Amino acid sequence: MAVRIMQNEKAFKTISATVGRADSPSKVIIGAGHPIVIQTMCNTHTADVYASVAQCARLAACGAQMIRLTTQGMREVEALAAIRERLHAQGIFTPLVADVHFSADVALAVAGIADKVRINPGNFAKEHDTACRKLSELIEVCRKNGTAIRIGLNHGSLGERITGLYGDTPRGMEEAAMEWIRMCIGQGFFNVVVSLKSSNTLVMVQAYRMLYEAMKKEGFLFPMHLGVTEAGNGDSGRIKSVVGISSLLEDGIGDTIRVSLTEDPVYELPVAAYLARRYSKGRAVYAREEEDSCAEWDKAMQASKDKERETMIADLACLYGKKLLDKEIDDFSPASSYPCLTEEESAYLKDEIMQAARRRFYKPEYIACPGCGRTMYDLERVFDEVKRRTAHLKGLRIAVMGCIVNGPGEMADADWGYVGEGGGKVTIYKGKEPVLRHVPQDEAIDRLLELIGF
């Protein structure tokens, strides 16, 4: 743990988390001045060991420094052990993160296998005391195995107790995270990363800033994982992600990042690498670490669909996103930074950045998860079709979610939602309420449009 003393402030300890076993050549250190770590998540079914190993190998070759896999049941726990073993046999030691929802027993079982476990302890049990007890047990298992924990809370999935006290708000997100952070501190467990994600960039930035200040007051500044959930795809998904993430990195907040796109996960890496390179300068605790990270970022940039265009888009989103979010500016011209842009291109990118910063909406707001091992349909194709057929519905917020597990909660801002049930069926939501269940997938977009009134 590094210690920083800020003038006129209480001294606080800046914590670093280690992900990966001590003897692993690919372990990463997150926080306390170390270079920003880039990560992504498999969209294969974790139980499909062959497909998951192949995708992990591809992602590692493209510069991923951590790879997350959904681990929703004991079957996936067993599969993750096999995936890890096969990757190690191939000489691939990139740390693997188990993404666990709701089941404390699954988290306990996988803690001896994964390098990090992502949990929302508030979902472990309806009764708060039970959730606390289960987290306490998990801490001890992780301590024994050298496993890191990510306390990952998302807007829209805070649980009844917290929302009853604070509402589904940035304050509620911060307060929920601090409860669990205090438990970790109380048990002397510091191998912890924390995240507070939202598809709403303004909510996301406010929540992280609140948590950052709350942790400093508590005396321990844990590393923070940044991301905009359900950002979508294409230019919109990239710009929305960069606006949210860069606004925090500009403040010195954030230590590891994921750009969530409804695309092949390999395409998330170049955008994350751009941000890591831009905002890691001067951070490195050791020069060697910066050199090693640069090599990974370079690999990631090569996976770009169009490196020059993606760099320009990310640069513009960094230049203007935070200023728009914080209302330091009300207008700007992309062409002033990139004179090569045509008038039409400049206007288009301005509209996209304005919408990402939630200053002006020129088209529907789309919320779409990137897909994972819980997704039971062709999410990328369906999302593109939903966008095509609803592009005229300016001002509406439409969500396309891969599964029923956390989709309904995490599309908290949506007016309408298309949520996969599995088995070729879809549930359609109006706000937070399901209005049509078990709709055949080939009819679902038509039914959605009928309900909207178009």
Side-chain angles (χ1 to χ4, degrees), residues 213-239:
E213 294 302 324
M215 287 194 294
K216 286 201 303 182
K217 288 179 182 176
E218 202 77 18
F220 295 91
L221 186 60
F222 286 88
M224 300 176 85
H225 167 76
L226 305 186
V228 177
T229 60
E230 291 87 39
N233 63 5
D235 291 347
S236 298
R238 286 161 174 77
I239 289 170

Side-chain angles (χ1 to χ4, degrees), residues 120-358:
N120 176 356
N123 287 338
F124 277 172
K126 197 170 183 68
E127 299 76 23
H128 184 63
D129 289 347
T130 304
C132 290
R133 178 170 52 80
K134 288 294 185 180
L135 177 58
S136 180
E137 292 175 18
L138 179 62
I139 286 170
E140 294 310 315
V141 175
C142 288
R143 193 198 310 275
K144 178 181 176 182
N145 288 280
T147 306
I149 290 176
R150 170 153 74 96
I151 297 170
L153 283 71
N154 286 356
H155 184 222
S157 59
L158 297 180
E160 292 179 12
R161 179 175 164 276
I162 287 292
T163 53
L165 291 169
Y166 305 101
D168 190 12
T169 62
R171 175 62 66 193
M173 296 166 73
E174 174 257 306
E175 291 287 347
M178 286 305 301
E179 280 192 335
W180 308 118
I181 287 169
R182 291 185 187 106
M183 273 199 65
C184 293
I185 294 170
Q187 290 189 223
F189 184 78
F190 295 94
N191 203 18
V192 174
V193 180
V194 63
S195 67
L196 296 177
K197 295 186 181 181
S198 173
S199 63
N200 180 318
T201 50
L202 188 57
V203 168
M204 171 241 188
V205 169
Q206 288 175 343
Y208 275 106
R209 285 173 175 168
M210 287 178 179
L211 180 61
Y212 181 81
E213 294 302 324
M215 287 194 294
K216 286 201 303 182
K217 288 179 182 176
E218 202 77 18
F220 295 91
L221 186 60
F222 286 88
M224 300 176 85
H225 167 76
L226 305 186
V228 177
T229 60
E230 291 87 39
N233 63 5
D235 291 347
S236 298
R238 286 161 174 77
I239 289 170
K240 191 174 185 180
S241 292
V242 173
V243 165
I245 295 170
S246 70
S247 293
L248 292 163
L249 293 175
E250 288 274 358
D251 291 342
I253 297 172
D255 306 283
T256 177
I257 57 178
R258 184 207 173 181
V259 173
S260 299
L261 298 176
T262 312
E263 299 181 19
D264 183 327
V266 76
Y267 295 130
E268 299 178 350
L269 295 169
V271 191
Y274 168 90
L275 289 166
R277 184 183 288 279
R278 182 179 181 120
Y279 292 104
S280 283
K281 291 177 181 177
R283 274 192 175 205
V285 175
Y286 307 108
R288 174 60 185 270
E289 282 188 35
E290 192 164 22
E291 291 173 11
D292 290 345
S293 291
C294 282
E296 296 305 306
W297 301 335
D298 287 339
K299 288 182 195 174
M301 289 300 295
Q302 298 314 309
S304 175
K305 290 181 177 179
D306 184 339
K307 184 177 177 181
E308 185 175 335
R309 177 177 171 74
E310 286 196 354
T311 299
M312 175 190 68
I313 287 172
D315 191 41
L316 288 168
C318 288
L319 285 171
Y320 300 110
K322 181 178 186 294
K323 292 176 181 177
L324 288 165
L325 267 177
D326 291 344
K327 297 188 177 178
E328 295 174 10
I329 61 172
D330 298 313
D331 199 5
F332 70 100
S333 171
S336 67
S337 299
Y338 283 86
C340 59
L341 289 170
T342 66
E343 185 176 338
E344 183 180 12
E345 288 171 327
S346 182
Y348 161 70
L349 290 172
K350 176 179 173 178
D351 282 341
E352 286 288 342
I353 294 169
M354 282 282 200
Q355 178 142 337
R358 307 190 74 79

